[in-house]
mmCIF file of all heavy atoms in Angstrom:
data_model
loop_
_atom_site.group_PDB
_atom_site.id
_atom_site.type_symbol
_atom_site.label_atom_id
_atom_site.label_comp_id
_atom_site.label_asym_id
_atom_site.label_seq_id
_atom_site.Cartn_x
_atom_site.Cartn_y
_atom_site.Cartn_z
ATOM 1 N N VAL B 25 12.586 1.999 6.215
ATOM 2 C CA VAL B 25 12.295 2.518 4.871
ATOM 3 C C VAL B 25 13.395 3.219 4.432
ATOM 4 O O VAL B 25 13.737 3.088 3.289
ATOM 5 C CB VAL B 25 11.015 3.286 5.049
ATOM 6 C CG1 VAL B 25 10.757 4.175 3.868
ATOM 7 C CG2 VAL B 25 9.778 2.320 5.261
ATOM 8 N N GLU B 26 14.014 4.119 5.198
ATOM 9 C CA GLU B 26 15.151 4.914 4.712
ATOM 10 C C GLU B 26 16.355 3.966 4.298
ATOM 11 O O GLU B 26 16.901 3.966 3.204
ATOM 12 C CB GLU B 26 15.769 5.849 5.839
ATOM 13 C CG GLU B 26 14.780 7.113 5.875
ATOM 14 C CD GLU B 26 14.982 7.916 7.125
ATOM 15 O OE1 GLU B 26 15.985 7.598 7.893
ATOM 16 O OE2 GLU B 26 14.239 8.902 7.472
ATOM 17 N N HIS B 27 16.528 2.873 5.043
ATOM 18 C CA HIS B 27 17.622 1.855 4.740
ATOM 19 C C HIS B 27 17.314 1.235 3.437
ATOM 20 O O HIS B 27 18.088 1.086 2.583
ATOM 21 C CB HIS B 27 17.806 1.020 5.963
ATOM 22 C CG HIS B 27 18.916 -0.152 5.506
ATOM 23 N ND1 HIS B 27 20.138 0.000 5.276
ATOM 24 C CD2 HIS B 27 18.589 -1.466 5.388
ATOM 25 C CE1 HIS B 27 20.806 -1.057 5.152
ATOM 26 N NE2 HIS B 27 19.937 -1.947 5.113
ATOM 27 N N LEU B 42 17.638 -7.875 2.579
ATOM 28 C CA LEU B 42 16.446 -7.443 3.204
ATOM 29 C C LEU B 42 15.186 -8.331 2.891
ATOM 30 O O LEU B 42 14.128 -8.153 3.399
ATOM 31 C CB LEU B 42 15.978 -6.027 2.758
ATOM 32 C CG LEU B 42 17.187 -5.027 3.040
ATOM 33 C CD1 LEU B 42 16.773 -3.603 2.502
ATOM 34 C CD2 LEU B 42 17.398 -4.894 4.593
ATOM 35 N N LEU B 49 7.110 -10.644 -3.496
ATOM 36 C CA LEU B 49 7.031 -9.322 -4.040
ATOM 37 C C LEU B 49 5.835 -9.352 -5.035
ATOM 38 O O LEU B 49 5.770 -10.299 -5.869
ATOM 39 C CB LEU B 49 8.210 -8.893 -4.681
ATOM 40 C CG LEU B 49 8.186 -7.673 -5.618
ATOM 41 C CD1 LEU B 49 8.099 -6.443 -4.682
ATOM 42 C CD2 LEU B 49 9.506 -7.472 -6.465
ATOM 43 N N PHE B 51 4.651 -7.050 -8.131
ATOM 44 C CA PHE B 51 4.978 -5.667 -8.694
ATOM 45 C C PHE B 51 4.341 -5.683 -10.134
ATOM 46 O O PHE B 51 4.473 -6.592 -10.962
ATOM 47 C CB PHE B 51 6.492 -5.795 -8.874
ATOM 48 C CG PHE B 51 6.985 -4.493 -9.467
ATOM 49 C CD1 PHE B 51 7.287 -3.320 -8.591
ATOM 50 C CD2 PHE B 51 7.298 -4.360 -10.767
ATOM 51 C CE1 PHE B 51 7.781 -2.238 -9.138
ATOM 52 C CE2 PHE B 51 7.782 -3.187 -11.287
ATOM 53 C CZ PHE B 51 8.147 -2.071 -10.492
ATOM 54 N N GLU B 52 3.405 -4.701 -10.208
ATOM 55 C CA GLU B 52 2.758 -4.547 -11.528
ATOM 56 C C GLU B 52 2.068 -5.769 -12.016
ATOM 57 O O GLU B 52 2.127 -6.286 -13.094
ATOM 58 C CB GLU B 52 3.800 -3.987 -12.576
ATOM 59 C CG GLU B 52 4.307 -2.552 -12.250
ATOM 60 C CD GLU B 52 5.201 -2.022 -13.397
ATOM 61 O OE1 GLU B 52 5.694 -2.758 -14.125
ATOM 62 O OE2 GLU B 52 5.364 -0.767 -13.358
ATOM 63 N N THR B 56 6.433 -12.628 -7.446
ATOM 64 C CA THR B 56 7.777 -13.102 -7.375
ATOM 65 C C THR B 56 7.983 -13.641 -5.897
ATOM 66 O O THR B 56 7.680 -13.017 -4.973
ATOM 67 C CB THR B 56 8.885 -12.093 -7.720
ATOM 68 O OG1 THR B 56 8.414 -11.322 -8.835
ATOM 69 C CG2 THR B 56 10.153 -12.771 -7.970
ATOM 70 N N GLY B 58 10.837 -15.405 -3.014
ATOM 71 C CA GLY B 58 12.231 -15.720 -2.805
ATOM 72 C C GLY B 58 13.220 -14.659 -3.053
ATOM 73 O O GLY B 58 13.072 -13.999 -3.971
ATOM 74 N N GLN B 60 16.231 -14.422 -4.095
ATOM 75 C CA GLN B 60 17.073 -14.261 -5.425
ATOM 76 C C GLN B 60 16.113 -13.782 -6.482
ATOM 77 O O GLN B 60 16.554 -12.915 -7.299
ATOM 78 C CB GLN B 60 17.522 -15.691 -5.776
ATOM 79 C CG GLN B 60 18.401 -16.429 -4.709
ATOM 80 C CD GLN B 60 19.886 -16.040 -4.955
ATOM 81 O OE1 GLN B 60 20.209 -14.906 -5.089
ATOM 82 N NE2 GLN B 60 20.807 -17.036 -4.756
ATOM 83 N N ALA B 64 16.498 -10.348 -8.492
ATOM 84 C CA ALA B 64 16.589 -10.372 -9.876
ATOM 85 C C ALA B 64 15.650 -9.329 -10.587
ATOM 86 O O ALA B 64 15.943 -8.674 -11.482
ATOM 87 C CB ALA B 64 16.562 -11.826 -10.329
ATOM 88 N N LYS B 65 14.355 -9.442 -10.001
ATOM 89 C CA LYS B 65 13.367 -8.724 -10.644
ATOM 90 C C LYS B 65 13.801 -7.129 -10.482
ATOM 91 O O LYS B 65 13.636 -6.327 -11.430
ATOM 92 C CB LYS B 65 12.060 -8.992 -9.929
ATOM 93 C CG LYS B 65 10.823 -7.981 -10.389
ATOM 94 C CD LYS B 65 10.480 -8.115 -11.875
ATOM 95 C CE LYS B 65 9.469 -6.990 -12.241
ATOM 96 N NZ LYS B 65 9.276 -7.060 -13.534
ATOM 97 N N LEU B 100 9.849 9.136 -7.372
ATOM 98 C CA LEU B 100 10.988 8.269 -7.793
ATOM 99 C C LEU B 100 11.531 9.127 -9.023
ATOM 100 O O LEU B 100 10.817 9.316 -10.106
ATOM 101 C CB LEU B 100 10.417 6.995 -8.261
ATOM 102 C CG LEU B 100 11.480 6.142 -9.011
ATOM 103 C CD1 LEU B 100 12.648 5.876 -8.175
ATOM 104 C CD2 LEU B 100 10.852 4.726 -9.364
ATOM 105 N N LEU B 115 4.825 -2.866 2.575
ATOM 106 C CA LEU B 115 5.684 -3.692 3.000
ATOM 107 C C LEU B 115 5.156 -4.401 4.260
ATOM 108 O O LEU B 115 4.588 -3.725 5.092
ATOM 109 C CB LEU B 115 7.101 -2.853 3.388
ATOM 110 C CG LEU B 115 7.688 -2.185 2.296
ATOM 111 C CD1 LEU B 115 8.651 -1.117 2.850
ATOM 112 C CD2 LEU B 115 8.490 -3.177 1.365
#
Side-chain angles (χ1 to χ4, degrees):
Chain B
V25 163
E26 281 167 8
H27 178 63
L42 301 178
L49 169 72
F51 183 87
E52 296 184 341
T56 314
Q60 303 274 43
K65 172 64 184 174
L100 175 57
L115 300 158

